[in-house]
Amino acid sequence: MSLLIFEPYFGGHRGLYLDALLTYYSEHHIEVPMDVVLSRSFAERHPDTWRHAQDADRVTLHVIDDAPSLAPLLTRDAHNGRALSQAITRLRPTHSLAMYVDHLQVSLGGELHFDFPTRISGVYFRPSFHYGSLGGPRPDVSERVTALRKRL
């Protein structure tokens, strides 16, 4: 059994999330090896978390190129999908966790299929996909346009 954590981005609270995961992993003496795949910019933005990951037992860091930040969403999806596919193929984890699966949706339907047993899960940051089913007031035009844009 092995775990791969895939975090291609570096902004916001990403360092805190990964730091909390590494702390839990160490404090609970989890024996499963963990490969952490991070963007090049992550070390610059989150040096403390980077050092924490380097010092953690049973954790191996791997660096990937940053996705083009101003590229269209489908280009970022393709870049991240290729990077995740290459990492899974090379490292052969039994489970992979994408810390931001929103920009992998097209790749999940396409190239992220393997000839060995592996599972992929992810954190989805667009919770508005189910709001209409909760029975609240009808969304206004602006909210419907935003929801349509998110689906694309």
Side-chain angles (χ1 to χ4, degrees):
M1 181 175 202
S2 61
L3 176 63
L4 182 144
I5 303 295
F6 183 75
E7 177 53 275
Y9 295 107
F10 52 86
H13 299 298
R14 297 178 197 292
L16 294 173
Y17 298 152
L18 183 58
D19 200 52
L21 177 64
L22 291 166
T23 298
Y24 182 89
Y25 198 78
S26 295
E27 287 178 356
H28 290 84
H29 307 288
I30 297 173
E31 295 299 323
V32 175
M34 179 168 48
D35 291 290
V36 180
V37 179
L38 301 169
S39 68
R40 292 195 184 285
S41 296
F42 193 96
E44 297 167 15
R45 294 278 180 101
H46 306 285
D48 292 340
T49 302
W50 184 264
R51 280 191 297 279
H52 188 184
Q54 286 178 316
D55 295 340
D57 290 336
R58 299 167 312 284
V59 174
T60 305
L61 287 173
H62 306 273
V63 178
I64 59 170
D65 291 329
D66 294 348
S69 61
L70 299 178
L73 179 60
L74 289 177
T75 302
R76 286 190 308 246
D77 184 301
H79 176 275
N80 293 336
R82 278 191 304 276
L84 179 56
S85 178
Q86 290 168 357
I88 290 173
T89 300
R90 183 169 37 93
L91 300 169
R92 299 179 72 88
T94 53
H95 194 105
S96 298
L97 172 64
M99 297 296 286
Y100 190 77
V101 77
D102 299 52
H103 293 174
L104 288 169
Q105 293 178 66
V106 174
S107 296
L108 284 169
E111 68 186 272
L112 291 174
H113 299 279
F114 304 94
D115 60 359
F116 55 90
T118 187
R119 293 181 179 163
I120 301 172
S121 60
V123 180
Y124 189 63
F125 283 97
R126 276 196 240 173
S128 60
F129 70 94
H130 72 280
Y131 286 166
S133 65
L134 297 177
R138 181 174 165 82
D140 64 22
V141 172
S142 171
E143 291 169 328
R144 287 195 305 267
V145 168
T146 299
L148 177 64
R149 183 179 52 84
K150 286 182 178 181
R151 280 189 296 227
L152 302 175

